[in-house]
Amino acid sequence: MEIFGTWLAAFFTLGIISFLYRDNAWYKLCESIFVGISAGYWFVTLFWDNIHGLFWERITERHDYWLLIGASLGLMMLLRLIPPIGWISRWPLSFVVGATAGLYIINYFASNVMVQVENTLMPLFSAKFGDPLFSASPYSIVGNIVVAAGTFTGLVYFFFSKEHKGAFGGMAKIGIWTIMITFGASFGYTVMSRMSLLIGRMDFIFGDWLGLIR
Amino acid sequence: MKNVPISYPTFFIILPLLIILNSALTAQPEVTPIDSAAALIPRNITAKDFKYDRGETIELNWKPADRVNQEMLDGYEVYRAEESSDSFVSIGFTGPDVTRFKDNGVVSEKRYRYRVAAIVGDVPYLSEATPPASPTMELVNFNLANLFIIGCLIAGAVTYFIGHARRGKKLFIRKIAGLEAIDEAIGRATEMGRPILFVPGINDMDDVQTIAGITLLGRVAKVVADYDIKINMPVSRSIVMTTARETIKEAYMGAGRPDAYNDDMVRYITDEQFGYVAAVDGIMVREKPATCFYLGAFYAESLILAETGNSIGAIQIAGTAQPAQLPFFVAACDYTLIGEELFAASAYLSNEPKQLGSLKGQDVGKLLAMVVIIVGVVAATISQSWNIAFFTRLYDLMIKLFTVQN
Amino acid sequence: MTRGELMAYLVIVAVVLLLAFAVPKPISFSTTVSYIIVGFIALVLLIIFVRTIQGNMVGRRIVFLFVGMAVILPLFMTISQPIPLSPEVKQVYDAVVALKPGSKVLVSFDYDPPSAPELQPMAETFFRLCLSRDLKIVIMGLWPQGPQQAEIAMRKTLEYPEIASKNLRYGIDYVNLGFQTGNEFVIQRMGGDFKSMFPTDLNGTAYDSLPLVRNVRNFSNIDYAFHLSAGYPGTVEWVQVAVDRYGLKMGAGNTAVQTTQMYPYLRARQLVGLLGGLNGAAEFERAADMIGKATKFMVSQSFSHIIVIAFIIIGNAAFFLGDKSRKRKQEAAGGGH
């Protein structure tokens, strides 16, 4: 059975890779099967985890009747299918948007604004506050300056209440350069990621399937 | 010296004695004198409610005994009993360097007593029991007061500027370079007489990026209606389809040619991410638009779309606030509205008080961050270099303002 | 299906059958052969470079072919590469090594099979390191297939002789709590009570019947957490909720795609250690002195990067130099227009 699974996986892997040459029937077959299976898989997973696991089991076994409120909101969401009363579906949507926004504001504001600003406040020439002057390695000193200047000029670039002219414009230019360098690093990492996936597949084809790799 | 012969009977008496003596010597730690035991017991144990939680934690603090050093200890063990009972049960250990313990196995409003033992070898040196403490729930977390104040400041600025804009006052927003690029790109499609493709991302209208994309569509559609260029807009959400149709129709009515508009300009494809991408790719390859716009929320499809657009030689303008996708757009498109620029462009064009006010309010937040960074870094560096008390205090204040305690 | 397509499929079937049944296994290139292959590829690249400058562009399929070779051939080679250790990887290792035997480690598996090549080696090394140091592992997942990936990694880890000899038992030494839907809301609820989100483990055993977690109420009972992430919900959500709100000490392993976005958290000490992509996995294997697949894959990774860089250089050279030579050609032909 395991051998059958391996051969099947290899069939689909090669089918998808064949797209590199050009679109063909094999690729189309693999793609359609993949789309169909993933839709089915998600349906089954969500049904068993949400409707059965989180709702039905908890109602019947643990008698957690608060869940009925959530379930009725869920039902309202489905009313979109009946156009005359479809507007009711906006209520649960508002609930979800409101609750998520409330949670996100605190989380994002604390983690991505407060903590980040706090950690940008550092003496430029030391490893951390309280350490003697020039205690950091040249590498960290450059790092500190890049972080402080990069954050500041990045903010300048995204400041919309003043024209980018003169010194302010110059700082904005440094800001956008910093952002572009970050994008470059990010792109490099993405190439690395995609290559890793390809390596993983090739290891499967030549190792697990064909057994050519030791 | 004369040799003293040891007789066999003497040997048999000495050997056991030696063995006993030896074992007594090696087992020395077991017979610890009483006074050193007392010296090991942790002191100043306090048990109090852990502040700002749901009433399910008691916090214990203690000090190591004076003559104890960490190498001697194996750690501390914490015992707990309910107020009415004397049976103390072990509830946890800490390392020898930790003199703090959070007990979260307690029930709100019940009263508990604690004992802490210093562990040496396997022997616990137990303290006296603490006075009873009980966990209580606090409704407001005052540790986060700074978060609240700064949040209020920015939210207040947003509200103020929205009101300001609603009263019809002008709010200045700098010119967004991307908008000129949009005009140029449409101009090129006009010259070439080929269609324009507009992709509003794959999220629904509840995503602010999609809304910004649709606002920019309004601008594009206006030019399209004026010069009678063909626009093609495949969408992946039904509500986006309805909104986009309304937007384009309005533009055509504004241009005085409502008859030239038709619903097929905006077509729904599918909600499925890659199904949608495959279809859009197909449209691009077949119709070869002169200009492609990708304005909205994008995920893994960003590079696929931008690459295909590149291969057909289209001018491409992208805009998204998805940080992970921006590098691909920047690399493959002619112009990219980065992050907030997308919203700024949308606010600039729409002149809508909510968008304008939010943008202005956020600028206040950014200004605050910029000032704090400059002042904080300067204060920290100067304080470090010349040890000036004023700058140290300034730095401490900044840190206090931005530290999030949990 | 066209006739050409049919022919191509038949050729592929023939090649597969040949490789599967007729070729002697395993194939392994000696160091000398490996270097000869590398030299040959370099020579072909040089030829392409020269031809491109002369104005003959390479098709995208040629690029695919080279990348394919760069990825596949090193899998058979017997050469290795030095892997320098970066501080963020060492931080994860140091954090684990600093834990006392019996400490509880929470590992959240938030990825699915497509990201396994990058994250699975991290998971395996992390498990092996923890178990060899007698740490207790609590596994969970916010992605439906995460806990299954954990099962695969754990099964493999338990086969190592030094781990197998410990006779570790499920429920006492490690526990798999399974998947829970709800994204960051699950993390939020876990801050109050694990049991409310995981009433049973993956096998349906009640939470309280598992000796390892019976006394684990929330994050304050966890000594270190390690998070494997391939997207949303992922490290960002864990940092925002578990770290910043509940003070969890956490390190993370990420797919390379999102690694750059995690560095601000690392610098702000919201993350204790970060492994980025296959490179991070290989470095972690080196730090722990447990060489595995990631180290082996790194040769392929480096080769493919070299090929990508080579083609970037070729492309740019063609763009800048090729332009001139094309103009010269046109002038020589006497037809400037």
Side-chain angles (χ1 to χ4, degrees):
Chain A
M1 200 59 208
E2 204 172 317
I3 290 178
F4 176 72
T6 312
W7 275 79
L8 200 66
F11 173 81
F12 285 112
T13 304
L14 290 178
I16 295 290
I17 290 177
S18 73
F19 186 73
L20 286 180
Y21 187 71
R22 68 160 188 237
D23 198 7
N24 62 73
W26 188 10
Y27 170 77
K28 279 184 189 133
L29 174 78
C30 297
E31 192 200 12
S32 312
I33 292 177
F34 172 66
V35 170
I37 287 180
S38 65
Y41 176 82
W42 275 102
F43 179 81
V44 172
T45 307
L46 291 179
F47 175 81
W48 284 103
D49 287 322
N50 282 315
I51 298 178
H52 187 264
L54 281 182
F55 175 69
W56 185 247
E57 261 184 11
R58 290 188 182 207
I59 290 273
T60 52
E61 286 170 21
R62 296 164 67 190
H63 308 289
D64 190 354
Y65 294 113
W66 285 104
L67 290 172
L68 288 173
I69 298 175
S72 53
L73 285 173
L75 280 177
M76 282 184 199
M77 205 84 130
L78 292 179
L79 291 181
R80 218 192 266 196
L81 299 173
I82 313 166
I85 48 168
W87 51 270
I88 296 181
S89 71
R90 287 186 189 169
W91 294 351
L93 209 60
S94 340
F95 175 80
V96 171
V97 170
T100 329
L103 187 76
Y104 275 20
I105 283 178
I106 301 294
N107 288 350
Y108 271 85
F109 198 62
S111 303
N112 292 12
V113 180
M114 302 283 279
V115 179
Q116 293 301 322
V117 170
E118 183 205 335
N119 280 283
T120 311
L121 306 183
M122 60 201 166
L124 294 176
F125 310 114
S126 310
K128 63 172 193 283
F129 196 78
D131 287 1
L133 188 65
F134 290 112
S135 61
S137 62
Y139 168 81
S140 328
I141 291 175
V142 172
N144 287 354
I145 293 172
V146 167
V147 165
T151 313
F152 182 79
T153 52
L155 281 167
V156 168
Y157 181 79
F158 286 111
F159 191 74
F160 295 102
S161 300
K162 192 168 163 32
E163 286 284 1
H164 285 174
K165 276 184 192 148
F168 194 76
M171 282 194 282
K173 205 157 242 170
I174 299 174
I176 192 69
W177 271 95
T178 315
I179 293 168
M180 286 298 162
I181 291 169
T182 317
F183 286 162
S186 195
F187 208 132
Y189 262 118
T190 305
V191 171
M192 174 170 149
S193 206
R194 300 295 181 245
M195 289 300 171
S196 308
L197 299 192
L198 182 62
I199 294 167
R201 279 292 86 189
M202 289 304 122
D203 182 57
F204 166 78
I205 297 265
F206 291 97
D208 300 342
W209 180 42
L210 295 174
L212 297 174
I213 301 172
R214 191 164 16 183
Chain B
M1 274 179 73
K2 206 176 135 196
N3 275 332
V4 182
I6 298 174
S7 65
Y8 276 110
T10 333
F11 181 71
F12 277 117
I13 293 165
I14 291 171
L15 188 67
L17 271 175
L18 274 172
I19 291 170
I20 291 167
L21 188 67
N22 186 39
S23 62
L25 281 170
T26 49
Q28 206 173 18
E30 271 177 25
V31 278
T32 322
I34 301 296
D35 65 320
S36 84
L40 284 168
I41 293 171
R43 56 200 179 86
N44 293 7
I45 303 155
T46 56
K48 56 178 198 287
D49 170 41
F50 180 68
K51 276 286 172 229
Y52 311 129
D53 68 341
R54 295 195 301 187
E56 45 200 20
T57 310
I58 287 182
E59 186 184 350
L60 289 158
N61 284 289
W62 61 89
K63 285 199 176 123
D66 280 335
R67 280 161 48 197
V68 160
N69 55 11
Q70 283 179 18
E71 286 77 49
M72 282 169 70
L73 286 184
D74 288 310
Y76 296 96
E77 186 166 14
V78 181
Y79 300 84
R80 177 185 65 206
E82 285 189 26
E83 189 185 19
S84 49
S85 113
D86 264 333
S87 60
F88 281 82
V89 185
S90 166
I91 51 166
F93 293 92
T94 73
D97 51 337
V98 183
T99 56
R100 187 166 178 246
F101 186 83
K102 277 201 220 167
D103 175 17
N104 51 27
V106 289
V107 180
S108 190
E109 305 303 335
K110 267 195 179 177
R111 292 164 71 80
Y112 301 90
R113 293 182 300 153
Y114 293 86
R115 297 178 78 175
V116 179
I119 309 286
V120 180
D122 276 340
V123 189
Y125 295 91
L126 255 179
S127 72
E128 288 298 308
T130 61
S134 80
T136 48
M137 179 166 101
E138 290 83 16
L139 287 175
V140 180
N141 183 353
F142 284 101
N143 275 341
L144 296 178
N146 57 342
L147 188 78
F148 179 73
I149 291 167
I150 296 176
C152 279
L153 203 71
I154 295 170
V158 169
T159 323
Y160 169 78
F161 281 114
I162 291 178
H164 203 71
R166 279 214 177 120
R167 284 192 295 275
K169 303 239 172 81
K170 189 111 180 70
L171 290 179
F172 174 76
I173 287 184
R174 74 168 158 87
K175 222 162 80 192
I176 314 287
L179 289 177
E180 282 167 24
I182 290 181
D183 288 344
E184 273 171 35
I186 304 173
R188 192 173 109 126
T190 324
E191 282 166 23
M192 298 179 72
R194 291 218 309 248
I196 284 174
L197 182 86
F198 196 103
V199 183
I202 60 162
N203 275 4
D204 217 330
M205 285 309 289
D206 58 348
D207 190 315
V208 63
Q209 299 176 66
T210 318
I211 297 174
I214 295 290
T215 311
L216 291 173
L217 170 70
R219 160 85 157 214
V220 172
K222 212 169 136 241
V223 187
V224 164
D226 282 343
Y227 292 98
D228 198 20
I229 313 160
K230 196 174 164 232
I231 185 167
N232 200 337
M233 186 170 174
V235 297
S236 77
R237 305 282 161 161
S238 53
I239 304 177
V240 177
M241 177 183 73
T242 323
T243 324
R245 280 181 178 168
E246 287 302 316
T247 310
I248 298 179
K249 199 187 219 167
E250 212 172 278
Y252 271 84
M253 299 219 306
R257 304 192 301 114
D259 50 306
Y261 168 80
N262 86 61
D263 270 350
D264 285 346
M265 290 172 174
V266 184
R267 277 177 294 166
Y268 169 78
I269 308 284
T270 166
D271 269 46
E272 219 283 323
Q273 184 186 11
F274 287 103
Y276 174 69
V277 178
V280 176
D281 272 359
I283 293 172
M284 279 194 214
V285 173
R286 282 190 302 272
E287 300 190 359
K288 298 215 170 9
T291 304
C292 299
F293 290 101
Y294 314 105
L295 301 166
F298 291 85
Y299 295 86
E301 68 281 0
S302 62
L303 190 57
I304 306 177
L305 292 176
E307 263 300 306
T308 314
N310 215 354
S311 73
I312 55 163
I315 280 204
Q316 307 197 87
I317 309 284
T320 187
Q322 301 289 122
Q325 306 308 325
L326 277 166
F328 309 128
F329 278 146
V330 168
C333 294
D334 297 271
Y335 197 91
T336 309
L337 292 161
I338 300 165
E340 232 187 337
E341 278 186 309
L342 174 67
F343 307 130
S346 160
Y348 186 88
L349 287 182
S350 69
N351 253 323
E352 212 247 327
K354 256 193 234 165
Q355 291 192 30
L356 276 176
S358 313
L359 197 70
K360 275 299 226 193
Q362 286 175 51
D363 267 4
V364 172
K366 280 175 239 166
L367 192 66
L368 179 76
M370 285 194 273
V371 170
V372 168
I373 288 174
I374 285 274
V375 175
V377 170
V378 169
T381 311
I382 292 180
S383 154
Q384 198 84 319
S385 315
W386 293 284
N387 202 10
I388 300 170
F390 168 75
F391 284 104
T392 313
R393 276 205 302 277
L394 188 65
Y395 172 77
D396 287 342
L397 176 78
M398 297 279 171
I399 287 292
K400 212 171 160 189
L401 208 62
F402 279 85
T403 303
V404 180
Q405 292 176 22
N406 41 45
Chain C
M1 211 189 296
T2 61
R3 229 171 118 185
E5 238 174 72
L6 194 68
M7 284 303 291
Y9 292 149
L10 286 176
V11 170
I12 292 171
V13 170
V15 171
V16 163
L17 290 177
L18 196 74
L19 286 175
F21 301 110
V23 172
K25 296 168 193 178
I27 298 175
S28 177
F29 303 150
S30 71
T31 315
T32 323
V33 175
S34 305
Y35 282 121
I36 291 172
I37 293 174
V38 172
F40 181 69
I41 292 176
L43 189 71
V44 177
L45 279 175
L46 194 70
I47 294 169
I48 291 179
F49 180 71
V50 173
R51 279 178 57 83
T52 317
I53 291 174
Q54 287 168 347
N56 303 305
M57 297 295 163
V58 283
R60 54 201 292 147
R61 283 170 195 155
I62 300 289
V63 182
F64 293 152
L65 183 73
F66 270 89
V67 170
M69 284 197 302
V71 164
I72 296 165
L73 293 176
L75 294 174
F76 301 102
M77 293 179 183
T78 44
I79 46 181
S80 60
Q81 71 169 91
I83 295 168
L85 203 56
S86 45
E88 57 269 27
V89 173
K90 189 149 185 312
Q91 246 181 326
V92 176
Y93 176 75
D94 289 344
V96 174
V97 174
L99 296 172
K100 290 218 166 80
S103 300
K104 293 187 184 81
V105 175
L106 177 74
V107 190
S108 185
F109 277 71
D110 300 343
Y111 66 94
D112 51 8
S115 309
E118 286 178 279
L119 299 179
Q120 202 72 7
M122 296 182 194
E124 284 165 13
T125 317
F126 190 80
F127 277 172
R128 198 171 156 199
L129 181 65
C130 287
L131 293 179
S132 68
R133 301 191 67 86
D134 295 320
L135 306 177
K136 309 288 177 191
I137 299 177
V138 181
I139 299 160
M140 57 164 285
L142 297 179
W143 286 37
Q145 285 151 309
Q148 283 152 30
Q149 293 300 126
E151 289 285 291
I152 298 170
M154 185 54 89
R155 219 178 300 138
K156 202 169 160 203
T157 310
L158 293 175
E159 281 169 12
Y160 289 108
E162 85 267 17
I163 307 291
S165 65
K166 288 178 187 278
N167 284 324
L168 300 176
R169 277 172 301 166
Y170 180 84
I172 295 169
D173 299 296
Y174 62 96
V175 153
N176 190 340
L177 295 178
F179 159 72
Q180 184 55 276
T181 113
N183 305 335
E184 61 267 47
F185 294 97
V186 174
I187 314 174
Q188 182 88 22
R189 292 283 298 274
M190 285 172 74
D193 191 4
F194 277 19
K195 201 168 66 175
S196 67
M197 281 291 99
F198 296 98
T200 62
D201 73 350
L202 191 65
N203 312 318
T205 315
Y207 189 88
D208 285 330
S209 321
L210 297 159
L212 173 55
V213 287
R214 196 182 294 144
N215 294 321
V216 175
R217 177 145 172 202
N218 53 35
F219 293 129
S220 53
N221 305 106
I222 296 294
D223 300 289
Y224 184 67
F226 186 65
H227 175 246
L228 291 154
S229 159
Y232 170 86
T235 306
V236 176
E237 284 70 32
W238 275 93
V239 167
Q240 286 176 350
V241 183
V243 175
D244 286 345
R245 288 192 128 177
Y246 296 103
L248 183 70
K249 188 179 171 194
M250 190 179 96
N254 271 244
T255 53
V257 175
Q258 47 173 5
T259 301
T260 35
Q261 289 172 60
M262 301 307 152
Y263 273 90
Y265 296 128
L266 186 74
R267 204 182 57 81
R269 291 182 283 279
Q270 286 156 295
L271 281 179
V272 183
L274 176 67
L275 314 182
L278 196 61
N279 189 24
E283 286 182 35
F284 191 53
E285 285 179 357
R286 205 204 111 185
D289 198 17
M290 294 167 173
I291 299 306
K293 273 209 160 156
T295 310
K296 194 181 128 200
F297 287 171
M298 268 318 280
V299 183
S300 290
Q301 185 89 50
S302 306
F303 268 96
S304 63
H305 286 192
I306 291 170
I307 293 289
V308 169
I309 293 168
F311 275 106
I312 288 175
I313 294 171
I314 290 173
N316 279 288
F319 186 79
F320 291 109
L321 302 177
D323 238 18
K324 276 185 208 155
S325 71
R326 260 196 303 281
K327 264 188 203 142
R328 261 203 311 275
K329 259 187 201 170
Q330 280 169 0
E331 278 162 18
H337 47 89

